[in-house]
Amino acid sequence: MSTGTGPSHERIDELIALDAIGGLEEADRAELQAILAEHGDDCAGCDERFAAYAEAAATLAMALEPVGPSAGAEDRLIAAARARDAGPHADGVSDTAPSRPALSVVPGDGGTTDVARDEAPALVRPRRVGRWIAAAAVAAALLVGGVSGFVAAPRPPAGTTQFLSFAAQPGTRFASFPTSDGTTLTVAYRPNERRAWIFGSGLDKPAGGRTYELWWGTKGTPLEGMHAAGIFVPIHGDIIAPVSVDASQPGTVLGVTIEPPGGSPEPTSAPILATTV
Amino acid sequence: MSHGAIVAATHGAVVAVGSVEDAADRDLVRRVSEGDDEAFRDLFRRYGPVAKALALRVIRQPFLAEEIVQEAFLALWRAPGSYRADRGSVRGWLMSTVHHRAVDLIRREEAQRRRIEEMDPTDALVEDVGETVTEQASLASRRAAAVAALGALPTEQRQVLEMMYYQGKSQSTIAGELALPLGTVKSRTLLGMRRLRTVIGGDPA
């Protein structure tokens, strides 16, 4: 076992310090791995430095004003843990094995649109889709006060992993629907592919087994000409669902309607929300 | 009294409390490894708010920040044995896990620069929708010590540490933005980290 007093600890001290704060360049990381392998997993000198610099880095975290989890976050965490495991696993379980919590509450401040803030969605303006604007206003009114309190309960975590991966990819854009009273609904999309995600919170579940359906169309497309992008139903108010959207054209219109169970091939009701990308 | 003396005095109180805290945290992790979800809740209540503040500070998106925190805690639930007591406190390990995940995410975002420029970091914290947090006295004390420790750093050292840690920027990116040689950024980072290490008590010397 290394005692940690060898000259190579001068260099590893630097590398561990940089690693603790997230400052390693790729070449540095390779060097750190090589030195760690040389020292062995039980090197007391390395352990000592890992501990000391982790604590130093944590100082930066501890200096921040704590931010409380959103309502129900703790229960969702426990539910997610229970849902995926009978209990904790022993050592060796890969950290990359997905065991994700259900979606958290999305803030109502439009924070998720900032990746493409200069492309922030505007209300639909063309004559053909003017009714979408009115419908959106109606929808907002309907949603105000109609949103039941958030119920913390176990929910299926399906999709969260894929969504996070999608959202993190370069080129992802976000188009938020105009909502109010804390309700949020956003489409994450990339202009050159159909795959997209819709996510949000605070939506009421449609009555009678009906479903929300997302539609897309190029600028000026009449309601009946909109393309179905996918259906979604909130679970405890929250939504995360894969959809299919062609947003390759500027001004692509997105709309949401309430449809019969299973969705419809074309809109059967006035849109309740609309936006453009 | 100098600022440094304040730090030292504050630090002295925290160290005494810290050793007890750390032992209690390690016991919570041990209980988590036995499937005790109350212990899991305790850890989340204790460090979830700080973890969220960190994730939010790095990625600026409350929705994703909370997801990252939940993922980090679930990682602990799935593999509590991945925490090694010989490599630091539970607190440091949790913050490191959250930080790595947040930085990994932000570095894959092509719009990082735009996000940071457009959003005041203090706004991000103020506007968050989280519940009111009542800090535990021990954590409040630790936070005060952390703020003092950062405040005691020379400005140029604190600047690079904050850019690296809070904004997830690489050394080369910081060098470019500050128009400094890469070696200068590295030396300032190391000096800052070593100073923090000494003040916080991690320096064996």
Side-chain angles (χ1 to χ4, degrees), chain A residues 17-227:
Chain A
L18 290 169
D19 182 48
I21 199 170
L24 278 186
E25 304 281 348
E26 281 307 309
D28 293 335
R29 184 171 302 283
E31 183 183 358
L32 175 60
Q33 293 303 323
I35 297 177
L36 288 176
E38 180 187 332
H39 282 226
D41 197 45
D42 61 347
C43 174
C46 291
D47 287 347
E48 181 181 76
R49 285 165 175 81
F50 272 115
Y53 285 121
E55 209 60 34
T59 299
L60 286 137
M62 297 303 292
L64 297 171
E65 183 81 38
V67 178
S70 61
E74 180 182 315
D75 289 330
R76 288 197 298 279
L77 175 66
I78 298 298
R82 286 174 174 162
R84 297 301 291 259
D85 305 302
H89 293 293
D91 291 347
V93 174
S94 169
D95 191 22
T96 58
S99 176
R100 310 289 185 174
L103 266 185
S104 307
V105 171
V106 180
D109 60 2
T112 51
T113 63
D114 56 2
V115 168
R117 193 174 292 276
D118 59 347
E119 299 169 14
L123 287 175
V124 180
R125 299 189 188 288
R127 173 179 54 85
R128 286 285 199 174
V129 290
R131 51 184 161 169
W132 289 73
I133 303 174
V138 171
L142 288 173
L143 287 167
V144 171
V147 179
S148 58
F150 182 86
V151 180
R155 287 172 298 146
T160 305
T161 303
Q162 294 92 328
F163 166 69
L164 284 173
S165 175
F166 180 87
Q169 294 298 312
T172 303
R173 300 283 184 266
F174 297 84
S176 293
F177 290 94
T179 56
S180 62
D181 197 32
T183 299
T184 66
L185 192 63
T186 300
V187 175
Y189 68 97
R190 287 198 281 271
N192 296 318
E193 62 179 275
R194 287 291 185 95
R195 189 169 52 126
W197 287 81
I198 190 164
F199 64 99
S201 68
L203 284 178
D204 274 340
K205 191 172 182 177
R210 291 189 298 167
T211 182
Y212 291 107
E213 187 157 2
L214 178 70
W215 307 90
W216 68 270
T218 54
K219 189 175 181 179
T221 301
L223 182 61
E224 56 273 18
M226 300 291 280
H227 302 278

Side-chain angles (χ1 to χ4, degrees), chain B residues 12 115 193:
Chain B
R115 178 185 304 110
M193 286 296 282

Side-chain angles (χ1 to χ4, degrees), chain A residues 232-254:
Chain A
F232 55 96
V233 176
I235 301 174
H236 300 295
D238 290 350
I239 288 163
I240 180 168
V243 290
S244 177
V245 169
D246 180 354
S248 58
Q249 302 299 317
T252 295
V253 179
L254 299 174

Side-chain angles (χ1 to χ4, degrees), chain A residues 81 85 87-97 99, chain B residues 28-35 40 43 71-84 90 93-94 97 101:
Chain A
D85 305 302
H89 293 293
D91 291 347
V93 174
S94 169
D95 191 22
T96 58
S99 176
Chain B
L28 287 174
V29 171
R30 180 191 60 75
R31 288 168 53 196
V32 167
S33 71
E34 296 170 351
F40 191 45
L43 274 174
E71 286 179 24
F73 275 88
L74 279 175
L76 170 63
W77 174 261
R78 289 195 308 272
S82 59
Y83 165 66
R84 289 180 51 175
V90 174
W93 180 76
L94 275 172
T97 302
R101 286 169 182 266

Side-chain angles (χ1 to χ4, degrees), chain B residues 48-104:
Chain B
V50 178
K52 184 174 176 181
L54 173 59
L56 187 57
R57 184 66 178 260
V58 175
I59 67 173
R60 317 292 172 126
Q61 297 184 43
F63 167 73
L64 292 177
E66 190 146 289
E67 288 301 312
I68 283 172
V69 171
Q70 294 235 341
E71 286 179 24
F73 275 88
L74 279 175
L76 170 63
W77 174 261
R78 289 195 308 272
S82 59
Y83 165 66
R84 289 180 51 175
D86 55 354
R87 288 197 170 180
S89 66
V90 174
R91 173 186 58 258
W93 180 76
L94 275 172
M95 294 308 123
S96 175
T97 302
V98 170
H99 185 251
H100 275 96
R101 286 169 182 266
V103 169
D104 181 59

